[in-house]
Amino acid sequence: ITVGGADASIQTGGIAMNLVTRRGGNKVSFGGRFYYADEHMQAVYSPERLAELGIEGSNRIRKNKDYGFNIGLPIVRDKAWLWMSYGVQDIGTYTVYGNKDDTLLENYAAKINLQLIPQNRFEAFFHTSAKIKQGRSTSVNNPEGLAQGSNRNYGNPILKLQDEHMFGNNLFVSLKYAFNESG
């Protein structure tokens, strides 16, 4: 994926696609989502059938929730825009040992776009997330698994600052600074 400003270009299997990433606009926009799945939405095999297949056990879903919202709005019409989002993935499973293996991911993102003159546009993007994991690395010796979280309250931040400028019709300059401590 090559990202330039708000546009992304993807080349796969000879097909090129252009994407426009989310950003604020001159109209207030709001979007939300809620997805839910539980143990009733997965295949269930009897212990006998699993044994026939040579499988001693399997992980199972207890609940899988994904919800969040985003909002985009103008700060100054035709000049400055803001976009923000918040999302949660709440995943609960059982391990092959029948113990809980839960993951909670909480994501925050914000973007400011400025185009004070037609030849120049600036973008600042910030993203951070918190992760809480209960039940990592379960084994016969450690059936409860480990509790694990981010090394900061809200995870490891990602920051991107980008400025693009057109000089006449033949010269386009793009400067980008990015910081990512997500590992």
Side-chain angles (χ1 to χ4, degrees):
I1 298 175
T2 304
V3 177
D7 302 323
S9 176
I10 300 174
Q11 182 76 34
T12 58
I15 299 172
M17 299 178 286
N18 289 316
L19 306 171
V20 177
T21 59
R22 296 295 308 211
R23 64 169 53 180
N26 282 330
K27 293 182 180 180
V28 175
S29 64
F30 182 80
R33 68 180 190 280
F34 182 83
Y35 302 102
Y36 179 79
D38 64 13
E39 68 274 7
H40 299 99
M41 298 177 176
Q42 70 178 348
V44 177
Y45 293 97
S46 69
E48 295 79 24
R49 178 65 179 138
L50 291 174
E52 283 176 26
L53 297 170
I55 300 170
E56 293 180 25
S58 64
N59 293 358
R60 296 184 330 270
I61 296 171
R62 282 192 349 269
K63 62 174 174 145
N64 189 347
K65 293 188 282 188
D66 180 346
Y67 56 92
F69 70 91
N70 64 76
I71 186 168
L73 57 119
I75 298 170
V76 176
R77 187 171 176 78
D78 295 325
K79 301 286 182 198
W81 306 270
L82 174 66
W83 176 84
M84 298 178 296
S85 74
Y86 170 76
V88 172
Q89 289 79 45
D90 185 0
I91 305 159
T93 62
Y94 287 116
T95 68
V96 295
Y97 306 107
N99 297 317
K100 291 182 179 180
D101 181 4
D102 295 344
T103 304
L104 181 66
L105 305 170
E106 197 171 13
N107 297 284
Y108 302 86
K111 186 186 291 190
I112 294 177
N113 296 95
L114 304 173
Q115 190 164 0
L116 303 178
I117 60 173
Q119 301 86 351
N120 187 278
R121 67 182 181 183
F122 173 81
E123 179 175 291
F125 171 77
F126 180 77
H127 176 272
T128 192
S129 59
K131 178 178 183 178
I132 299 170
K133 178 76 173 156
Q134 300 288 337
R136 179 166 306 262
S137 301
T138 58
S139 66
V140 173
N141 295 331
N142 185 17
E144 297 295 319
L146 305 171
Q148 192 176 36
S150 302
N151 60 354
R152 295 189 180 94
N153 284 343
Y154 286 101
N156 301 313
I158 298 170
L159 173 67
K160 181 186 90 165
L161 305 173
Q162 184 168 346
D163 191 58
E164 301 171 332
H165 194 87
M166 283 293 299
F167 295 93
N169 292 327
N170 298 317
L171 180 61
F172 174 78
V173 176
S174 178
L175 300 171
K176 182 186 328 184
Y177 168 80
F179 174 79
N180 179 357
E181 197 177 62
S182 294

